[in-house]
Amino acid sequence: MSDAASQADGPTPRRRLDGLPLRLAAFGTAYALLCLLGDVLTATQGDFATFWPASGLFVAALLLAPPARWRWYALVVVAAELAVGWHVQRRPVLAAAFGLADALE
């Protein structure tokens, strides 16, 4: 079987994930930093935060990524929200709700 014939069959599972972990790590880092920025931009400190910077990045990632990868980005958003929520001492339920709100938005 030649290389041309094997490539015509479609991408292998390994090829479909090429670069995805690195993209998800970069996305998660940027998302978490934007969540922290949203916390700083909030006028009154409390459980709620401005989350439009992070949600804008999430929407852009979904628009640029194929729909098959959306679940990975959603999982990274929830993980980042929980990590940032823990860092700023926000209740985990509220942090998860922020992640869900970003996904629904």
Side-chain angles (χ1 to χ4, degrees):
M1 183 181 253
S2 71
D3 282 338
S6 65
Q7 288 178 354
D9 292 339
T12 62
R14 170 82 174 126
R15 183 170 224 168
R16 285 187 301 211
L17 293 178
D18 280 346
L20 183 62
L22 183 59
R23 285 186 195 130
L24 290 175
F27 170 74
T29 302
Y31 187 88
L33 290 173
L34 287 173
C35 284
L36 290 172
L37 174 67
D39 237 25
V40 170
L41 292 175
T42 303
T44 58
Q45 295 302 316
D47 278 341
F48 293 98
T50 304
F51 56 92
W52 60 264
S55 63
L57 177 67
F58 186 38
V59 168
L62 293 180
L63 289 174
L64 295 174
R69 293 186 177 173
W70 287 1
R71 67 176 183 267
W72 294 109
Y73 285 98
L75 287 173
V76 169
V77 162
V78 171
E81 285 285 357
L82 289 172
V84 170
W86 174 79
H87 178 71
V88 298
Q89 298 174 350
R90 186 176 294 128
R91 290 175 286 164
V93 172
L94 191 56
F98 281 169
L100 180 62
D102 284 353
L104 292 175
E105 188 178 0

